[in-house]
Amino acid sequence: REWRMTVVKSYMSETDWVAVVAGPIDVAQADAFTRDVDAGAAVLFLGTTRRLTDGRETVRLDYEAYDEMALATMRRLTDVARARWPIRKVAVLHATGTIAPKEASVCVAVSTPHRAQAFDAARFLIDELKREVTIWKKEIFADGSAEWVDAGSKTEDTR
């Protein structure tokens, strides 16, 4: 396969693609991977960097991960989702490094026979990924300040 993003750690089969990538995610690749002739629905969720956070201008997000553990957890979550829904294909990708406003840092793409299944599976995957995967986010603001975000709590870092 031709990669248009730098893959740090990846697992890929005919039906599953789970990866930690460096820099923004190539959304078109994830979308193309999950298309399937036996699926009537495909849901693509993107987590992107927003310009304003609590009224402060965000310059970028910096992500760090324990790559091996993150990949293993994402693979386990796709297995759990497959046991609950009739998933045809699934892609779960998360970025590390610097992500600018509008760029995608996380992508969950799921194809299933029907739309409710695809929505439910995608929501489960993004919610559990945010809760369980060992990836940390640092918000860098226009005023020069920065904050680490970890499981809903923030620690100020003004270096």
Side-chain angles (χ1 to χ4, degrees), residues 14-65:
E14 290 295 316
T15 59
D16 293 36
W17 181 22
V18 180
V20 175
V21 302
I25 293 168
D26 184 336
V27 176
Q29 281 187 274
D31 180 46
F33 177 82
T34 55
R35 297 298 177 103
D36 186 86
V37 297
D38 294 320
V43 168
L44 175 68
F45 170 83
L46 304 176
T48 59
T49 302
R50 65 182 158 267
R51 184 175 57 91
L52 295 175
T53 302
D54 297 328
R56 297 164 66 192
E57 184 178 354
T58 303
V59 175
R60 71 178 191 272
L61 300 178
D62 289 340
Y63 287 91
E64 294 181 11

Side-chain angles (χ1 to χ4, degrees), residues 64-79:
E64 294 181 11
Y66 177 9
D67 301 329
E68 291 82 9
M69 185 177 283
L71 186 70
T73 304
M74 290 189 295
R75 284 189 67 189
R76 182 180 55 74
L77 292 174
T78 60
D79 289 343

Side-chain angles (χ1 to χ4, degrees), residues 5-22:
M5 58 191 150
T6 304
V7 175
V8 176
K9 287 280 181 192
S10 180
Y11 167 78
M12 184 179 270
S13 69
E14 290 295 316
T15 59
D16 293 36
W17 181 22
V18 180
V20 175
V21 302

Side-chain angles (χ1 to χ4, degrees), residues 30-143:
D31 180 46
F33 177 82
T34 55
R35 297 298 177 103
D36 186 86
V37 297
D38 294 320
V43 168
L44 175 68
F45 170 83
L46 304 176
T48 59
T49 302
R50 65 182 158 267
R51 184 175 57 91
L52 295 175
T53 302
D54 297 328
R56 297 164 66 192
E57 184 178 354
T58 303
V59 175
R60 71 178 191 272
L61 300 178
D62 289 340
Y63 287 91
E64 294 181 11
Y66 177 9
D67 301 329
E68 291 82 9
M69 185 177 283
L71 186 70
T73 304
M74 290 189 295
R75 284 189 67 189
R76 182 180 55 74
L77 292 174
T78 60
D79 289 343
V80 171
R82 280 190 169 287
R84 293 185 185 177
W85 295 280
I87 294 172
R88 298 295 304 161
K89 291 189 175 182
V90 60
V92 178
L93 313 175
H94 205 298
T96 56
T98 299
I99 308 297
K102 294 192 335 183
E103 292 180 330
S105 56
V106 62
C107 172
V108 172
V110 179
S111 63
T112 62
H114 303 285
R115 71 178 173 271
Q117 301 159 337
F119 278 114
D120 290 346
R123 179 160 193 136
F124 166 82
L125 284 166
I126 190 58
D127 287 350
E128 293 304 309
L129 182 149
K130 298 278 287 177
R131 189 175 359 268
E132 295 187 36
V133 177
T134 52
I135 296 176
W136 303 275
K137 174 173 72 172
K138 185 176 187 178
E139 294 176 304
I140 312 300
F141 299 102
D143 65 6

